[in-house]
Amino acid sequence: MMNKLKLNLTSIVCCLALAGCSTGGGLPVTSGPATNNGNQIFSNINELSYVPPQTEYRIGASDLLAITIFPAEGLNQEVRVDSRGYIALQIIKEIKAQGLTQQELARALEQAYSNHPEGLNNPKITVLVKEAANQRVTVEGEVTKPNVYAIEGAMTVMQAIAQAGGPTTLASKDKVILFRTLPNNKVKAYRLNLTAIRNGQLNDPYLQNDDRIVVHRSDSRYWIKEAASFISPINALNTLIN
């Protein structure tokens, strides 16, 4: 009789423990409300931006620029902004580019070429940022070429993963996490499903500077714990023990 009572008590305790893990203390694996308190590590994907950034990009050091000059196509060239923020061009030896938008630099170049003794008469110049070196995204995990990539113009998650060679055969396309650091240094995590994005069921969010994309393996057992620890080791510990 006593053995049966102990067995029943043990079963009850185990059931209660499992219930506690599956309710208050569990780690959700879908994008839920953007509460992100101790029990919710994934923020709502509706917080992400699904339209191209409207703010004009300002040129920075190490950016690669494509300069097109009409009607003197022979002066067209690609040039990288040096560490001082300057570019060197034919005829115009040096001009400050850092801090300017593409259009502002184009107007400054038109004025410089027009005023130079060996310059041009009323040139039309366009500037294109081909490689924004100071806007970067990290793509890692189960992708073919994990690396830090420049954000070229308005780049989405799918475009960044494609630039990294796409997911490997071991990747789980619904275990993709976008980590974003906010101005207050708080980190948020957003779970994404690449298959749903590719099928048009979800929109493809645009990236910001210093975003980090992690594609996890399909057989990974601890990927949620890893995500929690990246956001905040203390919050992750509280999440796992509560």
Side-chain angles (χ1 to χ4, degrees):
M1 184 69 178
M2 290 298 295
N3 289 335
K4 289 184 178 180
L5 180 59
K6 289 180 180 179
L7 181 60
N8 289 338
L9 288 174
T10 302
S11 300
I12 292 171
V13 170
C14 290
C15 290
L16 289 174
L18 290 173
C21 291
S22 63
T23 55
L27 288 175
V29 295
T30 57
S31 299
T35 55
N36 204 15
N37 54 30
N39 298 316
Q40 176 84 51
I41 66 168
F42 294 120
S43 296
N44 195 319
I45 59 174
N46 291 328
E47 295 178 359
L48 300 174
S49 176
Y50 298 95
V51 295
Q54 297 300 311
T55 56
E56 288 192 83
Y57 176 77
R58 298 206 169 264
I59 297 167
S62 298
D63 283 358
L64 181 64
L65 309 179
I67 312 294
T68 304
I69 303 174
F70 180 82
E73 286 81 1
L75 297 177
N76 294 351
Q77 66 181 101
E78 291 186 2
V79 60
R80 194 171 293 278
V81 184
D82 67 22
S83 59
R84 300 173 299 124
Y86 284 80
I87 57 173
L89 299 172
Q90 301 178 62
I91 300 178
I92 306 299
K93 298 305 180 184
E94 276 194 337
I95 189 169
K96 184 71 176 288
Q98 186 171 353
L100 301 179
T101 66
Q102 296 168 88
Q103 187 173 20
E104 288 171 346
L105 178 57
R107 301 295 82 78
L109 287 173
E110 288 175 352
Q111 184 175 3
Y113 273 104
S114 297
N115 295 337
H116 196 279
E118 301 177 14
L120 304 171
N121 182 26
N122 194 28
K124 300 300 180 185
I125 298 177
T126 59
V127 176
L128 174 66
V129 178
K130 292 199 66 176
E131 184 179 306
N134 62 335
Q135 297 282 316
R136 296 176 179 272
V137 58
T138 301
V139 187
E140 58 186 274
E142 288 302 322
V143 291
T144 305
K145 297 180 291 184
N147 209 336
V148 179
Y149 293 93
I151 297 178
E152 301 176 3
M155 179 181 284
T156 66
V157 168
M158 291 293 285
Q159 289 170 338
I161 292 176
Q163 192 166 356
T168 68
T169 56
L170 298 176
S172 177
K173 295 181 178 62
D174 69 339
K175 292 181 182 176
V176 178
I177 305 178
L178 169 64
F179 294 100
R180 175 163 295 170
T181 302
L182 304 181
N184 61 0
N185 289 326
K186 180 180 179 181
V187 178
K188 284 193 170 186
Y190 302 89
R191 182 180 177 183
L192 302 172
N193 187 319
L194 300 185
T195 301
I197 293 175
R198 185 176 288 112
N199 293 340
Q201 296 169 306
L202 290 176
N203 292 322
D204 190 6
Y206 283 88
L207 296 170
Q208 296 180 7
N209 186 36
D210 287 333
D211 278 352
R212 178 187 179 197
I213 302 170
V214 181
V215 180
H216 287 272
R217 292 171 63 106
S218 57
D219 60 352
S220 176
R221 296 177 56 190
Y222 303 107
W223 67 284
I224 298 178
K225 292 182 182 179
E226 293 171 5
S229 64
F230 184 78
I231 295 173
S232 170
I234 296 177
N235 286 346
L237 180 61
N238 291 335
T239 301
L240 295 173
I241 65 177
N242 284 342

